[in-house]
Amino acid sequence: MHKTANPDSIKAFLKDLYVHALAPALPVNAMRDLIWPEVPGRTYILSAGKAASQMVAAIQDRLPTDAEGLVVTRRGYVHPGFAADNMRIVEAAHPVPDLLGAEAAQTALAAADMLGEDDLLLVLMSGGASALLPAPAAGMTLAEKQVVTLALLRSGAPISEMNIVRKHLSAIKGGRLAARAWPAATHMIAISDIPGDDIAMIGSGPTVPDHSTCADALSVIEKYGITLPSAIRAQLEAGTLETPKSGGPAMQRTSAEICAKPADMCAAGEEALRRLGYEVIMLGDALEGDALELGKAHALRARALKAGGRKVALISGGEATVAVHNPEGRGGRCSAYLLSCALALAGEPDICGLAADSDGIDGSEDNAGAFLWPGVLNAMGGADQARAMLDHDDSYLAFQKADGLLMTGPSGTNVNDLRILLVG
């Protein structure tokens, strides 16, 4: 990026980088050469998550002609033009589950119950599926599940800890769907939105044996001060909500694979920037922790590199967290990270960047993320106003005021966040 570039040119350049980095994680590319088990009986497809319709579309011409199934995605995320006469499509709420998602989960469980030994349950899983397929454990209502989910979302817990709790409060997650489908075979193809790519955590692993325990779930609940219904807490303490484990008989006909992961996105971004003459420092594709602290740390790294006279790009992926103090605030983890970064840079020239969620939506807002350039704080009304908006959990509004939001709409994939800082 040339030192004299104006903000519009900087934003266009960075948006092109974002689009290029996402390409290998799009289902049409990531699923091109995949195969799955062939069975003499029926194939039932369950595709759930923010990329649900795109994943089906990517393999639609290779499915058995008599295959049927269910597509469950976030409202507004059905790929334009997607149609499948043999597929029921449900658009449900995310990140807090709703009745439509709960009904879809029951449809999936009922379909699994009907499968026999010669059949296959083919599960296509992408980020967001945990919320989109709620099936509260026995003794828990959907309303109670919604309250616990919202508390977890606001707690700042990383996705891995959230999904440990979700698995143990569910009738479908943590391998339970595979147990319901047994003796049919199950195969899951997943796009990873989990730092570290633990396949048992993607979509809370409905067909994957679970390695976490009721005690682990209770530990997370205690750590973040989450209130549970007394009957559910008692079941966790007694171990009666334990999930299927790898040695169980119902887990012997299940398999799973990842077709796209955060490292693919980061590697594509790195390749593009090296071609443009940047030295690239990869900070990791699985970064977690507080988004504000991460933003400060990356800003300090960028300033040190600039002082050394280097033309360098800092790239990272993963999923930072934000502890929400103002439930009425408008923000997201990417915009919060970038606003914290901007405040730490304090208008430092010759440093620009972006932070964006690969699914096209940063939290619950309509932006993928945001852009950073030297004058962004001035465009927000100054550093004091920017700081006040960050403290009020209004990072979205700060970048909106600066005309610094990255707007893409649903991308069709979900491999966590991409953060790029360009120095020099």
Side-chain angles (χ1 to χ4, degrees):
M1 176 56 57
H2 195 273
K3 293 179 180 179
T4 60
N6 62 46
D8 288 340
S9 297
I10 292 172
K11 288 183 281 185
F13 176 78
L14 290 167
K15 185 174 182 180
D16 285 346
L17 276 178
Y18 171 80
V19 171
H20 182 90
L22 258 57
L26 297 175
V28 67
N29 298 321
M31 302 178 72
R32 182 178 292 120
D33 300 320
L34 287 182
I35 59 173
W36 47 89
E38 293 185 7
V39 294
R42 295 175 296 159
T43 296
Y44 186 89
I45 297 97
L46 170 64
S47 189
K50 297 176 185 176
S53 64
Q54 292 87 342
M55 292 185 79
V56 172
I59 62 170
Q60 201 164 6
D61 60 350
R62 291 181 280 149
L63 292 171
T65 55
D66 60 347
E68 54 185 0
L70 173 67
V71 176
V72 188
T73 194
R74 180 174 172 164
R75 197 165 292 115
Y77 271 57
V78 176
H79 184 63
F82 175 74
D85 294 338
N86 55 348
M87 299 273 178
R88 180 185 169 196
I89 301 172
V90 175
E91 296 183 66
H94 179 279
V96 179
D98 67 357
L99 183 59
L100 288 173
E103 291 172 345
Q106 293 305 314
T107 298
L109 288 167
D113 288 340
M114 298 299 292
L115 297 175
E117 188 173 0
D118 290 338
D119 301 331
L120 172 69
L121 174 61
L122 180 60
V123 177
L124 311 179
M125 193 64 49
S126 56
S130 293
L132 292 166
L133 284 177
M140 189 176 200
T141 67
L142 177 61
E144 289 170 333
K145 190 75 174 285
Q146 290 169 326
V147 170
V148 172
T149 299
L150 190 58
L152 284 167
L153 288 168
R154 290 175 174 171
S155 72
I159 189 66
S160 56
E161 291 184 336
M162 288 182 60
N163 285 358
I164 287 172
V165 175
R166 284 165 157 167
K167 288 182 182 190
H168 288 87
L169 303 186
S170 174
I172 193 170
K173 298 174 174 63
R176 290 191 173 96
L177 180 61
R180 290 282 288 266
W182 188 87
T186 63
H187 184 71
M188 184 171 87
I189 300 171
I191 294 174
S192 175
D193 68 329
I194 299 294
D197 303 322
D198 181 352
I199 199 166
M201 286 292 176
I202 302 171
S204 297
T207 65
V208 180
D210 183 30
H211 46 73
S212 67
T213 65
C214 286
D216 294 329
L218 280 169
S219 178
V220 175
I221 290 295
E222 296 295 337
K223 180 178 179 180
Y224 296 100
I226 306 297
T227 301
L228 287 179
S230 57
I232 293 298
R233 174 177 279 278
Q235 289 189 72
L236 285 174
E237 290 173 344
T240 56
L241 292 179
E242 199 52 86
T243 46
K245 307 306 178 190
S246 59
M251 294 290 102
Q252 301 312 304
R253 297 199 69 202
T254 184
S255 55
E257 63 182 311
I258 293 174
C259 67
K261 54 189 184 297
D264 301 330
M265 172 182 66
C266 290
E270 177 178 6
E271 178 189 31
L273 284 162
R274 288 194 186 280
R275 286 203 307 266
L276 292 168
Y278 282 89
E279 173 192 351
V280 176
I281 297 175
M282 185 64 67
L283 300 176
D285 59 56
L287 300 189
E288 295 183 279
D290 183 82
L292 306 190
E293 293 302 318
L294 203 63
K296 291 178 190 175
H298 289 183
L300 291 174
R301 185 80 177 269
R303 294 185 82 152
L305 290 166
K306 187 197 165 192
R310 296 161 71 178
K311 179 182 179 182
V312 62
L314 299 175
I315 300 178
S316 64
E319 186 172 292
T321 54
V322 175
V324 177
H325 306 292
N326 172 29
E328 303 303 317
R330 297 187 63 187
R333 61 180 183 260
C334 291
S335 59
Y337 158 88
L338 205 62
L339 186 48
S340 177
C341 187
L343 285 163
L345 288 171
E348 185 76 30
D350 303 326
I351 298 177
C352 61
L354 69 80
D357 195 324
S358 59
D359 67 8
I361 299 294
D362 184 21
S364 58
E365 296 295 343
D366 58 357
N367 64 315
F371 300 106
L372 178 153
W373 65 95
V376 70
L377 294 180
N378 290 336
M380 294 173 182
D384 289 344
Q385 286 196 37
R387 169 63 64 187
M389 285 189 277
L390 182 60
D391 292 343
H392 204 251
D393 292 326
D394 278 331
S395 54
Y396 174 95
L397 297 179
F399 282 103
Q400 184 182 55
K401 184 175 182 180
D403 191 25
L405 295 172
L406 170 58
M407 311 292 284
T408 64
S411 70
T413 191
N414 188 6
V415 287
N416 280 334
D417 302 336
L418 176 67
R419 295 175 290 264
I420 298 175
L421 290 180
L422 303 181
V423 181

